[in-house]
Amino acid sequence: MHTISKAGKALNGHLDHRNPLVFDTHELGRRPGALLRLTRSVDAPQDLGIDGVIGVPEGAPVELDLRLESVMEGVLVTGTARASAEGECVRCLEPLRQEVVADFQEMFSYPDADDRGRVKAEPADDAEDDEDRLFVEDGLFDLEPVLRDAVVLALPMQPVCRETCAGLCSECGIRLDENPGHHHDAVDIRWAALQGLAETVQDGEKDNMGGAEAGVDEKQEK
């Protein structure tokens, strides 16, 4: 039994056709200009979104509309992904849900073709270039890395429950949208210091007066 990893690979290192994000191009063929349209509903893979900010929950439905076009050098995939993302408002910290529509286009190259679509006489030596390219492997391609990039670009870095969200009070943390008249009296720190000094002086005068009265009472008793 093969276990499928997040990248759609089986334990033997090859793409597994059972992974819903792995697509078969055999029906499309390699004749340049051939087209194939596909629609598929898949479960969202783990960590689809911006970590700790907003993302599509694992297992949530992702609707895919794809257009596969055979070209000389590989398969050009154009598509749209639709899903519902969940996160937290950066202003009021309330949970939020947002519909995300992510468009993408990616070339999946044939391993045996160069950039002009010609069959390579020898394996390529520029391994660094190959690391940035996606390939068709045995007629299959894995859409997951493309889907991840597209969803991340389509999601907001600072999601808000609504554009007019007033956020939280910086002093007490209460939601301002629920308490539109909420406010705190601003006290100038300089006046606060003077007020504290005045109160200290008044307390001292009261103590002195109390001592004076006690002295008067003692003289009267004598």
Side-chain angles (χ1 to χ4, degrees), residues 96-160:
L96 61 83
R97 181 184 294 268
Q98 179 176 323
E99 297 304 312
V100 57
V101 179
D103 296 320
F104 52 86
Q105 185 175 72
E106 188 66 43
M107 171 66 71
F108 289 84
S109 303
Y110 295 128
D112 59 348
D114 63 15
D115 292 336
R116 296 182 180 180
R118 297 176 301 192
V119 176
K120 296 178 182 178
E122 296 179 358
D125 294 329
D126 50 348
E128 294 183 0
D129 292 341
D130 286 350
E131 289 181 359
D132 297 329
R133 299 171 64 185
L134 298 174
F135 292 92
V136 177
E137 301 179 21
D138 297 326
L140 305 174
F141 68 86
D142 182 16
L143 191 66
E144 182 171 339
V146 178
L147 177 63
R148 287 186 179 280
D149 290 345
V151 169
V152 168
L153 290 175
L155 289 172
M157 293 296 295
Q158 294 187 322
V160 292

Side-chain angles (χ1 to χ4, degrees), residues 203-214:
D203 292 340
E205 290 176 350
K206 290 180 180 179
D207 291 340
N208 292 335
M209 291 178 62
E213 292 175 356

Side-chain angles (χ1 to χ4, degrees), residues 26-181:
H26 287 97
E27 183 180 347
L28 175 67
R30 294 185 62 162
R31 180 174 59 84
L35 295 174
L36 182 63
R37 296 183 182 277
L38 299 172
T39 59
R40 182 179 295 184
S41 179
V42 302
D43 293 340
Q46 186 179 8
D47 301 326
L48 182 60
I50 304 173
D51 186 31
V53 180
I54 187 171
V56 181
E58 182 178 3
V62 179
E63 304 298 330
L64 298 173
D65 292 315
L66 304 178
R67 178 179 182 270
L68 280 56
E69 181 180 359
S70 178
V71 295
M72 291 292 293
E73 62 268 31
V75 178
L76 180 64
V77 179
T78 305
T80 301
R82 294 178 174 84
S84 181
E86 297 179 2
E88 185 179 84
C89 177
V90 296
R91 297 178 187 172
C92 67
L93 307 182
E94 288 294 308
L96 61 83
R97 181 184 294 268
Q98 179 176 323
E99 297 304 312
V100 57
V101 179
D103 296 320
F104 52 86
Q105 185 175 72
E106 188 66 43
M107 171 66 71
F108 289 84
S109 303
Y110 295 128
D112 59 348
D114 63 15
D115 292 336
R116 296 182 180 180
R118 297 176 301 192
V119 176
K120 296 178 182 178
E122 296 179 358
D125 294 329
D126 50 348
E128 294 183 0
D129 292 341
D130 286 350
E131 289 181 359
D132 297 329
R133 299 171 64 185
L134 298 174
F135 292 92
V136 177
E137 301 179 21
D138 297 326
L140 305 174
F141 68 86
D142 182 16
L143 191 66
E144 182 171 339
V146 178
L147 177 63
R148 287 186 179 280
D149 290 345
V151 169
V152 168
L153 290 175
L155 289 172
M157 293 296 295
Q158 294 187 322
V160 292
C161 57
R162 56 180 176 274
E163 292 299 328
T164 58
C165 177
L168 304 176
C169 175
S170 60
E171 295 192 32
C172 65
I174 195 171
R175 286 194 67 196
L176 297 177
D177 282 341
E178 297 178 354
N179 300 270

